Amino acid sequence: MKKAVYYMLISAVCFTVMNLLIKYLSHFGGGQLVLFRAFGSLLFTMSFLLWHKIPMLGNQKKLLLYRGLAGVTSMGLFFASVQYLPIGSAVSLRYLSPVFATILAVFFLRERVKLIQWFFFLMAFVGVLLIKGFDPNINSFGLLLVLSSAIFSGMVYVLINKIGAKDHPVVIVNYFMWVSVVVGGFLSVFDWITPVGVEWLYLFSLGVFGYFGQLFMTKAFQSQVTNKIVSLKYIEVVFTMIAGSFWFADVYPFLSIIGVLLVIIGLVLNVFYKR
C-alpha cells in the first residue's frame, strides 16, 4: 500500500512539472509542443519494444491508429487551451474525460450507467459552471478547447477498451507517440519557432516527465490496492494549482476552488462506485 502511494505521488509530481512546462512554453505552437512531447516519450517506448522484441505494428492496426489520432487531438487541444486558462483550471477541466468516456461507452460499448452515477456527473458539471462563472480568468474559447480535449480523451478510453488485451500496452502508447510525431511535425512546419538556449531542454523534458508520470501511475494501478489509491490521481490538480500560483501568479477565486473540488469529488465518487 505504501509503495503504491509513493508511486502515485511521484506520478503526480511528474505530470505537474510537465503541466507547468507546457504553460511556460505555451508561446510555441500546439503542433510543436505535441512534437516534442511525443518525441521524448518515443525514445523510451521504442527502446522497450526493441529490447523485449515485441512486434511494433500490433494486431489491431486500425483501432491503434484511431486511438493515436484521438489521443493526439486531445493533447493538442489541451496544449492550446493553456494559452487562455490558468494551468490549474485547465488540468481540472480536462479530468472530465471519464465522464465523457462513460457517456460514449453507453453508445459504443453498450455499457449501463446507474442513476447515482449521473448524479456524480452532474456534480462535476456544476463544478465546471462554478469555475466558469466565478473565475474571471476563464476564457470562453479556452474552456471550449479544454472541454473538447476531455471529449477526445474520453474517446481514447473507449478505444483502449475496444483494443483490450490483444495488443501490448506499450504498443498502444508507441502508436500514440508515432502518430503524435507525424501530426505534430506536420503542424510545426506552418508555425515553427526555433527554441533558444534552455528552451531546448524544457521542450525535450516534456516527453521525459510525461513518460515517467505514466510509468509510475501504471505501477501504482498494478498494485492490489487500486481502489484505495485511485483518488490520489487527482492530487495532480492540487499540485498544479499551487505551483501555478507561485510560478505564474495564477489567482483562483474561492467559488472557483469549490468548483474544482466538486469536479474532483464527483469523479472520485464515480470511480469508487464503479469499483
Side-chain angles (χ1 to χ4, degrees):
M1 172 67 179
K2 186 179 294 186
K3 185 178 290 187
V5 170
Y6 288 151
Y7 283 152
M8 190 61 83
L9 290 176
I10 293 171
S11 170
V13 170
C14 288
F15 281 130
T16 297
V17 174
M18 187 188 74
N19 293 332
L20 294 173
L21 287 172
I22 289 168
K23 180 70 174 180
Y24 180 74
L25 299 167
S26 60
H27 57 282
F28 289 95
Q32 200 167 344
L33 291 175
V34 166
L35 172 64
F36 280 97
R37 163 67 178 89
F39 187 77
S41 294
L42 193 61
L43 298 176
F44 294 101
T45 58
M46 288 291 291
S47 299
F48 181 92
L49 294 175
L50 289 171
W51 178 264
H52 293 280
K53 298 179 180 178
I54 299 172
M56 295 183 190
L57 294 180
N59 302 310
Q60 304 169 90
K61 299 176 181 61
K62 186 178 291 186
L63 280 176
L64 289 166
L65 184 61
Y66 289 158
R67 182 265 180 265
L69 290 171
V72 71
T73 303
S74 174
M75 183 164 59
L77 289 168
F78 173 68
F79 288 176
S81 73
V82 301
Q83 298 181 39
Y84 305 95
L85 303 172
I87 185 62
S89 299
V91 172
S92 63
L93 291 169
R94 196 190 186 200
Y95 265 123
L96 287 169
S97 53
V99 177
F100 294 116
T102 303
I103 295 171
L104 291 169
V106 170
F107 296 99
F108 295 103
L109 302 179
R110 305 299 181 190
E111 291 186 2
R112 292 184 177 182
V113 181
K114 298 293 182 64
L115 182 62
I116 192 170
Q117 287 179 269
W118 290 116
F119 173 74
F120 296 150
F121 295 159
L122 178 62
M123 183 187 301
F125 277 113
V126 168
V128 174
L129 294 177
L130 284 175
I131 295 171
K132 170 57 181 161
F134 293 96
D135 190 344
N137 297 313
I138 298 296
N139 176 283
S140 297
F141 182 61
L143 180 65
L144 176 63
L145 288 173
V146 77
L147 290 180
S148 299
S149 171
I151 292 172
F152 278 97
S153 185
M155 291 182 187
V156 169
Y157 286 116
V158 174
L159 288 166
I160 289 176
N161 190 296
K162 290 282 286 184
I163 292 170
K166 296 178 183 178
D167 279 294
H168 194 283
V170 180
V171 172
I172 299 173
V173 176
N174 196 56
Y175 256 85
F176 173 31
M177 293 300 106
W178 270 115
V179 171
S180 298
V181 165
V182 173
V183 173
F186 175 75
L187 294 176
S188 297
V189 172
F190 304 99
D191 193 25
W192 178 265
I193 298 174
T194 302
V196 178
V198 75
E199 288 180 338
W200 286 103
L201 176 62
Y202 290 159
L203 284 165
F204 280 111
S205 295
L206 291 176
V208 176
F209 283 108
Y211 175 80
F212 282 103
Q214 192 69 46
L215 174 65
F216 283 107
M217 185 174 68
T218 302
K219 284 180 173 292
F221 284 156
Q222 285 175 333
S223 70
Q224 300 302 310
V225 290
T226 300
N227 60 327
K228 296 180 180 179
I229 54 92
V230 68
S231 57
L232 285 175
K233 182 175 185 290
Y234 299 99
I235 204 169
E236 174 195 345
V237 178
V238 179
F239 286 171
T240 303
M241 290 181 74
I242 293 172
S245 296
F246 284 101
W247 194 353
F248 303 110
D250 288 342
V251 177
Y252 300 93
F254 176 73
L255 287 177
S256 175
I257 295 175
I258 296 297
V260 171
L261 290 176
L262 280 176
V263 170
I264 295 174
I265 292 170
L267 296 175
V268 170
L269 287 175
N270 179 60
V271 170
F272 276 107
Y273 178 79
K274 287 175 70 175
R275 292 193 178 281

